[in-house]
Amino acid sequence: MTDTELRVSKIRNGTVIDHVNAGEALHVLALLDIDGASGETVSLGMNVPSQTMGKKDVVKVEGRELSQNELDVLSLIAPDATINIIREYEVAEKKHVEPPETVSGVLACPNPDCITNAGEPVQPRFDVLSEGVRCAYCETIVRDDLTDHLLA
Amino acid sequence: MRHDHLLTAKQLTRADIEAVLDRAREFADDPSAFRERHPELLLALCFFEPSTRTKMSFETAAKRLGGDVVDMGSVESSSVKKGESLADTVRVIEGYADAIVLRHPKQGAAQLASEYVDVPVVNAGDGAGHHPSQTLLDLYTIRENAGLDDLSIGILGDLKYGRTVHSLAHALTKFDARQHFISPESLKLPRGVRYDLHEAGANVREHESLDDVLPNLDVLYVTRIQRERFPDEEEYRKVAGKYSIDTETLEHARDDLSIMHPLPRVDEIAPELDDTGHATYFSQAHNGVPVRMALLDSLL
């Protein structure tokens, strides 16, 4: 256990998301729709020192193992994240995020003239490009500030 | 061509396009010969935005094939006015008709509609998005006048909001075409279209002045700067009237330059050009009928 990992509380069972870009931890929680309302314990380390990244964020979610799909969505804002699944205080699995082909119901289209912003019964869907995402309906490409478009 | 829907020109292969254009040639040569071709056809016209040419040419095409149409009518007189969603509207109309021709002010509307119905949906314009059936008649007209290979085409005007431009640009990537896009800086092609053209390896140049390229063009495709698409009136005023084509403008054009326009025009092309050999826009509009006959024939 490194000094950095000790800065946020050790968890017994759950998921540790490491190597998140500094300042993005709250966006990670938003992206994963984790707000603590369902009772899970969440620990955040923000701007902690990192040998490889200079500074990084770390997110620990107690009592919940994130699915691969959830983790893949993370790749949109945390492409370098590493995932540790913790069981009985030990790392049981290590995972990496992989960009999915599409993401649904995660981002809102920034184009006000997109049909997904017209009150239709449809979830916004985006195709994932090598850089950014593209609305599957109006084809607007979003490359920067993806977290500004996270669905509430 | 065998597709469930026609949503964008991107989905069409060169073979698809050529098959429709060849079939359209047959329909144009002898329209009366096909009056019994689709007597069972009932086509739904769902136009949430005003239209003259597209709507009437689809209606004419259906009737010339022996079929008929049902028309949703104006938005003001439909259930849309009561707040009905597009998804519900098309699901209801699916039960009435064999295919749906949809025009809608929102981008992606045709894509959404296609996800809710099993009958073919034809995108007849979705906001500033796509207008693929217009592109088929544009290509038909270009092929008749200049051929589709080794083509040098200038596309001028509102490239940002111009859905006919977006669809035409996508389709031309299937052919050996040099595409010259001429517009004010603020009306350049949107990022999504540029991305697709780049991915397709299209031969593309961008200009602000028509003079830079005019002498080399086989075709000049002029579009209206669409006041109704601008979110800001001031932005519109900055570019309104920026390009206006008259005999003086064409001083250095080739004699066989073909000038096209999806119409309606406002002040982009002077009426003095109407009786010159350059004017192709009215025959272009007429071509909408045989091309849409061929399109319906291929979808049904």
Side-chain angles (χ1 to χ4, degrees):
Chain A
M1 185 68 61
T2 67
D3 180 56
T4 295
E5 286 170 312
L6 286 171
R7 284 175 193 270
V8 288
S9 61
K10 197 172 176 182
I11 63 174
R12 180 171 183 169
N13 294 299
T15 305
V16 176
I17 306 167
D18 200 357
H19 301 108
V20 175
N21 290 339
E24 293 284 358
L26 294 175
H27 290 136
V28 167
L29 292 178
L31 194 64
L32 297 173
D33 200 22
I34 295 172
D35 59 6
S38 54
E40 67 269 64
T41 301
V42 180
S43 308
L44 296 185
M46 296 185 75
N47 297 311
V48 298
S50 163
Q51 283 190 338
T52 55
M53 301 173 74
K55 287 182 177 180
K56 67 176 181 179
D57 287 2
V58 182
V59 177
K60 299 189 177 189
V61 184
E62 177 81 51
R64 182 169 160 190
E65 292 187 11
L66 298 175
S67 69
Q68 189 64 49
N69 280 347
E70 287 177 300
L71 299 175
D72 288 345
V73 172
L74 267 183
S75 70
L76 300 181
I77 60 168
D80 301 319
T82 53
I83 316 298
N84 294 323
I85 304 296
I86 308 295
R87 293 176 194 138
E88 292 299 326
Y89 300 106
E90 298 293 331
V91 176
E93 284 182 59
K94 279 183 175 290
K95 296 181 179 182
H96 291 276
V97 294
E98 293 285 343
E101 289 187 8
T102 63
V103 290
S104 295
V106 173
L107 301 166
C109 182
N111 176 6
D113 288 322
C114 177
I115 192 71
T116 60
N117 291 317
E120 294 291 332
V122 62
Q123 280 201 329
R125 187 173 77 246
F126 287 81
D127 298 322
V128 179
L129 310 177
S130 55
E131 290 180 37
V133 297
R134 179 181 221 189
C135 177
Y137 292 89
C138 74
E139 303 186 338
T140 293
I141 292 177
V142 187
R143 286 208 170 107
D144 307 312
D145 304 322
L146 288 181
T147 51
D148 290 350
H149 308 297
L150 286 175
L151 282 168
Chain B
M1 183 172 73
R2 196 68 214 172
H3 293 288
D4 292 335
H5 310 286
L6 179 60
L7 305 178
T8 79
K10 282 189 282 185
Q11 73 187 74
L12 301 174
T13 65
R14 178 178 176 134
D16 291 335
I17 294 168
E18 289 182 330
V20 170
L21 303 194
D22 290 345
R23 192 77 173 126
R25 179 75 263 166
E26 294 175 38
F27 290 137
D29 286 344
D30 189 3
S32 62
F34 300 94
R35 285 194 184 281
E36 298 302 318
R37 177 139 182 93
H38 289 290
E40 80 294 346
L41 167 64
L42 191 54
L43 185 66
L45 303 177
C46 301
F47 280 68
F48 292 74
E49 265 190 346
S51 170
T52 303
R53 280 154 297 279
T54 303
K55 188 174 178 182
M56 286 188 70
S57 64
F58 266 113
E59 182 169 358
T60 308
K63 290 181 174 175
R64 285 204 180 278
L65 289 169
D68 207 341
V69 298
V70 284
D71 187 343
M72 185 186 84
S74 69
V75 167
E76 283 67 30
S77 64
S78 73
S79 288
V80 178
K81 196 69 179 171
K82 301 174 188 170
E84 185 177 56
S85 67
L86 173 62
D88 279 1
T89 302
V90 294
R91 275 185 286 193
V92 170
I93 292 171
E94 172 187 30
Y96 303 159
D98 304 305
I100 294 173
V101 179
L102 177 68
R103 170 168 292 188
H104 198 279
K106 294 291 182 184
Q107 284 173 252
Q111 172 66 41
L112 179 141
S114 73
E115 293 172 5
Y116 281 90
V117 300
D118 290 326
V119 298
V121 172
V122 177
N123 183 1
D126 59 338
H130 300 278
H131 195 354
S133 70
Q134 174 72 39
T135 286
L136 288 170
L137 74 91
D138 292 341
L139 294 175
Y140 180 89
T141 309
I142 292 169
R143 192 170 78 165
E144 296 281 297
N145 288 280
L148 279 169
D149 279 311
D150 194 26
L151 176 74
S152 188
I153 180 169
I155 304 177
L156 173 130
D158 180 358
L159 311 182
K160 181 179 180 181
Y161 300 111
R163 57 194 173 200
T164 63
V165 169
H166 305 161
S167 290
L168 181 60
H170 288 309
L172 286 171
T173 64
K174 315 290 166 66
F175 298 89
D176 177 20
R178 294 173 294 283
Q179 301 191 53
H180 295 276
F181 293 101
I182 308 134
S183 74
E185 178 69 24
S186 63
L187 292 179
K188 289 170 76 170
L189 287 173
R191 182 186 268 177
V193 178
R194 299 157 82 92
Y195 176 86
D196 287 327
L197 295 181
H198 177 74
E199 289 288 297
N203 186 342
V204 168
R205 298 281 185 278
E206 294 186 282
H207 316 266
E208 274 204 49
S209 169
L210 174 61
D211 295 339
D212 293 347
V213 290
L214 184 64
N216 303 320
L217 298 181
D218 301 298
V219 173
L220 176 60
Y221 192 96
V222 183
T223 64
R224 178 172 63 95
I225 295 181
Q226 307 169 93
R227 184 179 208 144
E228 68 273 21
R229 301 261 177 243
F230 281 76
D232 179 354
E233 178 72 15
E234 181 59 28
E235 191 192 344
Y236 168 74
R237 276 202 291 269
K238 285 180 188 168
V239 293
K242 170 95 174 168
Y243 301 106
S244 183
I245 312 297
D246 56 21
T247 50
E248 192 180 334
T249 315
L250 298 182
E251 194 178 339
H252 300 295
R254 284 171 28 188
D255 291 341
D256 61 352
L257 172 71
S258 172
I259 298 180
M260 298 174 63
H261 192 302
L263 302 178
R265 67 174 156 174
V266 181
D267 55 6
E268 311 84 55
I269 300 176
E272 68 192 30
L273 293 182
D274 294 356
D275 295 326
T276 70
H278 295 303
T280 313
Y281 28 93
F282 290 118
S283 63
Q284 178 187 356
H286 297 161
N287 290 336
V289 172
V291 170
R292 286 176 170 126
M293 288 172 74
L295 172 61
L296 293 173
D297 190 54
S298 71
L299 287 172
L300 297 167

